[in-house]
Amino acid sequence: MTSTRARAPHQQLAGQIFSSREIRANLEILCDDFGSRFAGTEAERQAAAFLGDQLRAYGLEEVRSEAFEYCGWKRGRARLRLTAPWQRELSCLSMPMSPAAKAAGKIVDLGTGAPEKFAQLEGELRGNIALVSIANPVESGRWIQRTEKYNRCVLAGASAFIFMGDEAGYGPVTGALGFNQWGLIPGIMVSKETGLQLRRFAARHGAAAVEVETTDATARQTSWNIIGELKGSSDSAEPLVVGAHYDGHDIAQGACDPVSGLVATLAAARALAQTAARPRNNLRFVLFGVEELGLVGAHAYVDAYREQLDRTRFMLNMDSAGAPGGKTLSLYGHDTRSYFRTLAAELDEELVVDMDNSPLREPDHLSADHYPFMAQGIPCAFMRQLDASISSGFYHTAHDTVDKVRALEIKEAAYLCACLAWHVAEDDSWPFARTGPEERLQARTEYENGEVRRIERAVEQLRRQRAAAGAA
């Protein structure tokens, strides 16, 4: 790897990125002008067209949009009405992928949604309405993602699901109830303050009863991955994929998540396209659609490029990489720590490099766009801010806005992205390869036997039973 240093265009990349005025402009266009870019909206279509135009203007080759279908969702009016001990309307919003439905019952407070709490209160949940916090149950020793909490409520027979935030002043926290799959019971989100009020009513009066109504629409829809190429200087054609998604949630601009990383990816692509020292292997920039509803664009890419997966060197996920804070490179699959720590030292960058194998992280298949590549045995990394949290701050709230993002931190992420991508694509002795079929099958089998996937399969069986009953 050190033999590549003489050709490495670090100064040119730094000059292109840190002197650029387009980074702030791209951030504001994507967030202020287009808005959330939620899947299925006009803003999403505008963003997709804009991103393709930018890649062409930056000099990327074979720029194209590749369509795929997914389970779409459109927000309707949601209602939460307290019926006992008092009668009043409370503020709420539907959660993405919620069906249109009505439900009534008493509140069953599941706290942070620990599996032990479900077991304790399972008898009370049937026909009633679950109240669950986004906060992770510390006693569980692993991350309990919102979809697992929701699915446990579905299997226990709850009639509706109320998801409460855990940070004062930020309002409801959004997130899909199913990954490329519509929910089976209505799900709504409320602020921490509203959730605590429901808890107080239940505690002080012995019970609290509510009515929930959602009017959302579901339909199959089409989105697009936006792809551009930078051809390498050799004929080896081993692509390195740099990816970031462009869709956001419909209640927010999504400035940190995902646009800070998306804009950094654009800046890296522009800088690499304009430097004379092309790396040996190809760089492919993929701007994914519909990440927030189930990593759908990333799965579509992997399905469309199966014949190239054996030759794919690496996948770098830049989702949210320009958000405030120091940078970390979380590694998946192959243990590439030594390689990237050496490279970070050569770059003289304060980049924390480590394997992401903590149990206190989202299940892999519910995490981010690197997962479909990781599941195919391709070495992957996810650049993001240190101490990133998916249960605190303004994550997935209406407060994820442009003013939270600094152009300088996007530029840092872009520079790191460009340098890392250049070196991996240049290295003629890259020591890692896609894992073999037997190893992939073994890893997949072990993962499918995990608790989260067992719960998801039980929900799918229930879905099929309901569909069969409805068709009879």
Side-chain angles (χ1 to χ4, degrees):
M1 180 172 64
T2 54
S3 62
T4 68
R5 292 183 66 184
R7 291 189 66 238
H10 297 161
Q11 289 184 342
Q12 298 98 307
L13 293 173
Q16 289 284 353
I17 290 168
F18 283 96
S19 65
S20 173
R21 293 179 177 270
E22 290 206 21
I23 288 174
R24 169 59 62 175
N26 285 341
L27 173 69
E28 293 182 2
I29 289 169
L30 287 161
C31 293
D32 287 338
D33 295 3
F34 298 150
S36 72
R37 310 160 311 283
F38 187 69
T41 63
E42 179 61 26
E44 180 208 25
R45 287 185 285 274
Q46 291 174 339
F50 170 79
L51 293 168
D53 289 344
Q54 292 298 87
L55 292 181
R56 292 183 189 93
Y58 294 162
L60 275 75
E61 305 156 80
E62 299 180 17
V63 176
R64 58 204 182 270
S65 64
E66 296 185 349
F68 58 88
E69 290 190 350
Y70 66 100
C71 293
W73 180 87
K74 184 178 181 180
R75 179 179 303 285
R77 181 184 60 85
R79 184 185 183 204
L80 172 61
R81 182 171 180 266
L82 183 71
T83 57
W86 311 106
Q87 293 190 2
R88 68 184 58 171
E89 299 286 333
L90 299 175
S91 178
C92 72
L93 291 169
S94 297
M95 296 189 72
M97 307 307 271
S98 173
K102 293 182 180 179
K106 74 171 187 176
I107 291 289
V108 179
D109 183 7
L110 292 162
T112 56
E116 298 79 10
K117 194 72 170 180
F118 276 94
Q120 177 187 345
L121 297 175
E122 185 175 6
E124 296 184 42
L125 273 173
R126 183 162 299 277
N128 286 311
I129 296 176
L131 175 65
V132 190
S133 170
I134 187 177
N136 198 58
V138 294
E139 64 271 28
S140 297
R142 66 178 178 88
W143 190 259
I144 311 294
Q145 208 249 18
R146 68 177 172 277
T147 58
E148 179 180 347
K149 298 176 183 183
Y150 175 78
N151 286 334
R152 286 180 181 274
C153 291
V154 170
L155 294 176
S159 61
F161 176 82
I162 302 177
F163 192 55
M164 64 177 283
D166 193 47
E167 288 281 331
Y170 283 115
V173 181
T174 191
L177 294 174
F179 267 34
N180 204 22
Q181 194 66 265
W182 299 305
L184 292 179
I185 62 173
I188 61 172
M189 48 184 164
V190 300
S191 66
K192 177 181 182 178
E193 292 81 357
T194 297
L196 291 176
Q197 186 179 27
L198 290 171
R199 284 180 174 173
R200 291 196 302 272
F201 279 139
R204 192 154 57 90
H205 298 277
V210 297
E211 294 175 350
V212 171
E213 180 182 6
T214 53
T215 60
D216 313 296
T218 57
R220 294 289 293 175
Q221 292 183 303
T222 299
S223 185
W224 312 268
N225 290 331
I226 311 302
I227 302 175
E229 311 271 357
L230 286 178
K231 299 297 185 181
S233 60
S234 74
D235 297 325
S236 61
E238 293 184 7
L240 181 151
V241 175
V242 180
H245 73 96
Y246 62 91
D247 64 305
H249 276 292
D250 65 338
I251 69 169
Q253 292 184 334
C256 286
D257 177 14
V259 177
S260 69
L262 173 63
V263 171
T265 303
L266 287 175
R270 177 179 178 271
L272 286 161
Q274 295 182 8
T275 185
R278 288 285 180 94
R280 289 186 174 89
N281 291 285
N282 297 348
L283 293 170
R284 179 174 294 157
F285 291 85
V286 186
L287 311 179
F288 298 111
V290 201
E291 190 265 3
E292 298 291 7
L293 299 184
L295 321 182
V296 189
H299 281 290
Y301 172 90
V302 167
D303 289 342
Y305 288 84
R306 286 194 177 275
E307 292 183 359
Q308 296 187 19
L309 296 182
D310 280 343
R311 303 194 307 274
T312 300
R313 283 200 157 199
F314 187 66
M315 191 277 176
L316 174 59
N317 184 7
M318 291 292 290
D319 181 0
S320 312
K327 306 304 176 196
T328 183
L329 194 69
S330 298
L331 308 173
Y332 299 88
H334 298 63
D335 188 349
T336 55
R337 282 177 291 186
S338 178
Y339 185 95
F340 284 106
R341 285 173 179 170
T342 299
L343 180 51
E346 289 190 0
L347 294 172
D348 195 24
E349 291 290 336
E350 295 180 356
L351 179 66
V352 177
V353 177
D354 211 346
M355 298 295 294
D356 189 0
N357 52 18
S358 167
L360 293 175
R361 63 175 174 134
E362 286 188 296
D364 289 325
H365 72 294
L366 303 175
S367 56
D369 283 327
H370 57 273
Y371 169 72
F373 296 83
M374 169 186 165
Q376 291 297 325
I378 295 169
C380 298
F382 186 4
M383 187 186 296
R384 50 185 167 176
Q385 71 270 40
L386 284 169
D387 303 320
S389 173
I390 60 174
S391 65
S392 62
F394 49 79
Y395 170 81
H396 277 195
T397 75
H399 297 269
D400 185 0
T401 48
V402 168
D403 53 283
K404 309 298 193 307
V405 182
R406 296 175 63 231
L408 184 61
E409 290 179 295
I410 296 179
K411 291 176 180 182
E412 179 188 11
Y415 176 69
L416 288 169
C417 172
C419 289
L420 294 176
W422 190 94
H423 277 277
V424 174
E426 168 70 10
D427 192 349
D428 59 358
S429 58
W430 171 248
F432 307 101
R434 185 187 185 193
T435 55
E438 292 185 3
E439 188 175 348
R440 296 198 302 271
L441 177 60
Q442 180 181 353
R444 182 68 179 174
T445 301
E446 292 175 356
Y447 192 83
E448 287 294 316
N449 287 333
E451 186 174 12
V452 176
R453 287 293 295 130
R454 290 200 302 269
I455 292 169
E456 290 174 344
R457 287 195 295 273
V459 170
E460 286 311 301
Q461 182 178 2
L462 178 60
R463 185 190 306 277
R464 289 191 294 270
Q465 292 171 349
R466 290 188 179 183

